[in-house]
Amino acid sequence: MNEAGFRTVKSSQVILKELMVPSYANFGGKVHGGVILSLMDKIAYTCAATHAKGYCVTASVDSVDFVNPVEVGELLTLYASVNYVGKSSMEVGIKVVSEDFKNGIVKHTNTSYFTMVALDEETRKPSQVAGLILEDEEEISRFVMGKLRKKLRRAHQQEIADIRQALDVGPDMAELKGENCQLGGL
């Protein structure tokens, strides 16, 4: 059962560091994106569960842009922070940075936002999470932006649902003109 009340943003911030080893490489010799996504999910869970004081699940992930490749041998550092909380959901912001020791190069590789939901361990139903104590302008800005992203996600989901509902393959076939596809058997 989760405790009610409020917690500071800093009380659940997490930093995870991991050396990128050869077994993480993809066919191109870079660190596989799936490895990075797995680490991002792990730190999102740790951050959210620390804030919620209980079990959490990943509900959604905003786009993950791979800004720079990660090389085998680099140290990957992930930073996670709860930006926004609803009743049972939390937005966890994640920033990923890689460090090349040999050449002294530090580069930003990813930023993403994970929506995590606290669940009651017995019922597996969403459970209430503590609110956030916002202590500076950056935390206030992140909270406001998190609320805006939540609103935009919901509007986007509704827009896609509306388009899917209204889709009529016959008239909408004109949308295929100039696309890289070929109709066969129709």
Side-chain angles (χ1 to χ4, degrees):
M1 184 65 111
N2 293 330
E3 304 167 18
F6 293 86
R7 293 192 182 85
T8 64
V9 172
K10 290 174 185 64
S11 69
S12 61
Q13 287 177 328
V14 180
I15 298 173
L16 172 66
K17 293 179 179 268
E18 185 155 341
L19 183 64
M20 298 294 99
V21 296
S23 64
Y24 292 172
N26 62 20
F27 293 111
K30 309 294 184 196
V31 172
H32 195 287
V35 170
I36 297 169
L37 287 171
S38 177
L39 291 170
M40 292 173 81
D41 193 48
K42 183 186 298 186
I43 197 170
Y45 173 82
T46 304
C47 184
T50 300
H51 180 79
K53 303 290 186 213
Y55 180 65
C56 296
V57 295
T58 306
S60 71
V61 179
D62 281 13
S63 65
V64 179
D65 297 320
F66 292 86
V67 181
N68 286 298
V70 178
E71 306 288 339
V72 170
E74 292 182 341
L75 179 66
L76 205 66
T77 304
L78 296 89
Y79 302 90
S81 183
V82 175
N83 292 336
Y84 171 80
V85 295
K87 292 179 184 170
S88 62
S89 67
M90 297 156 277
E91 179 192 86
V92 176
I94 301 170
K95 180 179 181 180
V96 183
V97 175
S98 68
E99 182 178 356
D100 176 346
F101 296 120
K102 291 179 186 175
N103 299 313
I105 298 171
V106 176
K107 58 188 175 184
H108 173 243
T109 63
N110 304 79
T111 299
S112 189
Y113 303 98
F114 280 55
T115 300
M116 308 296 290
V117 176
L119 296 181
D120 181 281
E121 291 191 45
E122 291 179 23
T123 66
R124 295 292 196 232
K125 301 280 186 202
S127 61
Q128 188 169 347
V129 296
L132 279 178
I133 299 170
L134 307 174
E135 298 181 300
D136 59 37
E137 286 185 24
E138 184 178 7
E139 291 176 359
I140 294 167
S141 175
R142 286 180 177 180
F143 191 92
V144 170
M145 290 303 297
K147 182 177 179 179
L148 177 60
R149 279 187 292 272
K150 181 178 181 177
K151 181 179 177 182
L152 291 172
R153 269 191 304 274
R154 286 189 174 165
H156 179 72
Q157 289 168 347
Q158 185 60 55
E159 184 179 13
I160 294 295
D162 292 347
I163 290 169
R164 183 177 293 124
Q165 183 72 28
L167 184 65
D168 185 355
V169 174
D172 290 331
M173 285 178 68
E175 294 292 323
L176 300 178
K177 186 176 181 176
E179 295 295 327
N180 189 16
C181 67
Q182 181 178 354
L183 299 178
L186 292 178

